[in-house]
Amino acid sequence: MNASVIDGKQVAASVIDAVKSATAVLGVNGIKPGLAVVIVGDDPASHAYVASKSKMAEECGFLSIQHTLPQATTQAEIEALVTALNADAAIHGILVQLPLPNHLNSEPLIQSILPEKDVDGLNIVNAGKLASGDLEGGLISCTPAGAMVFVRQTHGEDLSGLNAVVIGRSNLFGKPMSALLLAANATVTTAHSRTKDLPTVCRNADILVVAVGRPEMVKADWVKPGATVIDIGINRVLAPEKGKGKTKLVGDVAFAEAAEVAGVITPVPGGVGPMTIAMLMANTVIAAHRTYGRTPPRFRGWIDE
Ligand code: GUN
């Protein structure tokens, strides 16, 4: 293997250390950051993610509240819950786990979360701040914020002259990721399922960020030699080599072969996943600081704040 492999758990641990310090600062005044996570239905993968978010919030010393609602929850019921959480002074961050069951309309619900409590960065106020280049005033979606920590560790703050390709254009990831790379002066292409000749587009990337949800779609010959490859995918696939009926997690990048070509690469699991949770904690403590008129620290994955 040529590439150096980013240890997401280690970088996430340094963010979590900084979150704990920032939590301790608030604790002097008897304030605890409060995070409410809302999950509807019984999708096992979503439940696993939410459980790790709630557990990490407790470990950080937060007030950690999880609302687990049945599949049959109505739009009015979940809207009432968000309204109550918006009004709850002990709650500084609200996360509604996506996707919601099909009968629920997620967009009006997400937009009803107060921008200052929107730790997913999905409210149009936060999305708009990011799109207009205000990186400090709002809240930024956790997974792109975490992926940017890896980019900065590899390339520094200024990506002038570098080509970045993001595959994926979701509001939760692709759009904010492209905006962050652009704000750091990269030349950004946002590719997606309708892009013509995706492999050729990818081979132009000094920084390739992949969020498509297709197991091992990106092959070695899509990767520019020496490129930084960041894999956002988490796909559960059958793993007959581990025994009958066993499964394993793989990313959207064919890791073993891509690592022969890339300069730096993130693994799955153990890459972006732990960083998403760490940046959620960071967003919650940022929101709590702002509530009390304090300037929050910046969470960049290394200790220089
Ligand atoms: N589902 C998968 N990732 C996320 C995330 O970052 N936030 C929310 N709300 N739902 C998700």
Side-chain angles (χ1 to χ4, degrees):
M1 178 172 14
N2 286 324
S4 74
V5 179
I6 291 177
D7 183 346
K9 280 192 207 156
Q10 195 190 333
V11 184
S14 70
V15 172
I16 291 296
D17 281 347
V19 168
K20 288 178 178 169
S21 307
T23 304
V25 168
L26 294 174
V28 171
N29 293 314
I31 299 159
K32 234 184 193 200
L35 174 65
V37 178
V38 180
I39 179 164
V40 185
D42 35 41
D43 175 62
S46 288
H47 272 271
Y49 296 144
V50 164
S52 24
K53 289 170 185 175
S54 298
K55 188 165 155 251
M56 184 58 86
E58 270 165 38
E59 196 189 315
C60 288
F62 294 2
L63 170 68
S64 169
I65 310 268
Q66 186 177 322
H67 291 271
T68 306
L69 305 182
Q71 178 77 19
T73 301
T74 64
Q75 186 81 16
E77 283 166 339
I78 190 165
E79 279 174 5
L81 175 58
V82 168
T83 302
L85 294 170
N86 277 340
D88 186 342
I91 296 298
H92 306 99
I94 302 170
L95 180 140
V96 176
Q97 184 70 18
L98 300 172
L100 288 171
N102 283 339
H103 68 278
L104 294 173
N105 191 354
S106 56
E107 197 49 30
L109 185 71
I110 297 295
Q111 297 308 331
S112 77
I113 298 173
L114 283 178
E116 52 272 30
K117 297 192 180 190
D118 165 40
V119 283
D120 258 332
L122 285 171
N123 186 288
I124 55 167
V125 170
N126 287 318
K129 283 183 178 170
L130 174 57
S132 56
D134 174 2
L135 304 189
E136 303 299 330
L139 290 164
I140 297 174
S141 179
C142 310
T143 307
M148 265 323 271
V149 172
F150 296 153
V151 170
R152 279 192 221 106
Q153 284 192 329
T154 307
H155 297 278
E157 301 277 348
D158 185 1
L159 309 178
S160 293
L162 295 175
N163 291 330
V165 173
V166 178
I167 319 180
R169 53 173 161 173
S170 66
N171 290 337
L172 195 56
F173 185 77
K175 284 176 196 157
M177 186 75 222
S178 292
L180 285 166
L181 289 161
L182 185 62
N185 301 322
T187 302
V188 183
T189 303
T190 309
H192 47 79
S193 56
R194 307 295 176 92
T195 297
K196 193 168 140 189
D197 196 1
L198 192 53
T200 301
V201 172
C202 291
R203 272 193 293 276
N204 190 37
D206 302 298
I207 300 167
L208 177 60
V209 187
V210 189
V212 288
R214 286 180 183 232
E216 302 185 318
M217 184 179 90
V218 171
K219 308 296 183 198
D221 65 355
W222 298 32
V223 177
K224 180 176 175 175
T228 298
V229 178
I230 299 188
D231 190 348
I232 307 301
I234 303 179
N235 309 288
R236 190 163 284 285
V237 297
L238 284 172
E241 71 278 11
K242 287 169 66 182
K244 196 162 174 280
K246 297 279 188 207
T247 62
K248 64 177 177 182
L249 293 177
V250 298
D252 293 345
V253 176
F255 178 84
E257 58 178 85
E260 297 293 332
V261 184
V264 174
I265 192 165
T266 62
V268 177
V272 170
M275 279 302 279
T276 295
I277 296 179
M279 298 315 279
L280 173 63
M281 303 304 131
N283 275 350
T284 306
V285 86
I286 287 170
H289 272 255
R290 289 182 183 150
T291 303
Y292 302 101
R294 292 174 167 274
T295 306
R298 297 167 78 200
F299 295 92
R300 299 194 298 173
W302 58 90
I303 308 297
D304 67 357
E305 12 255 346

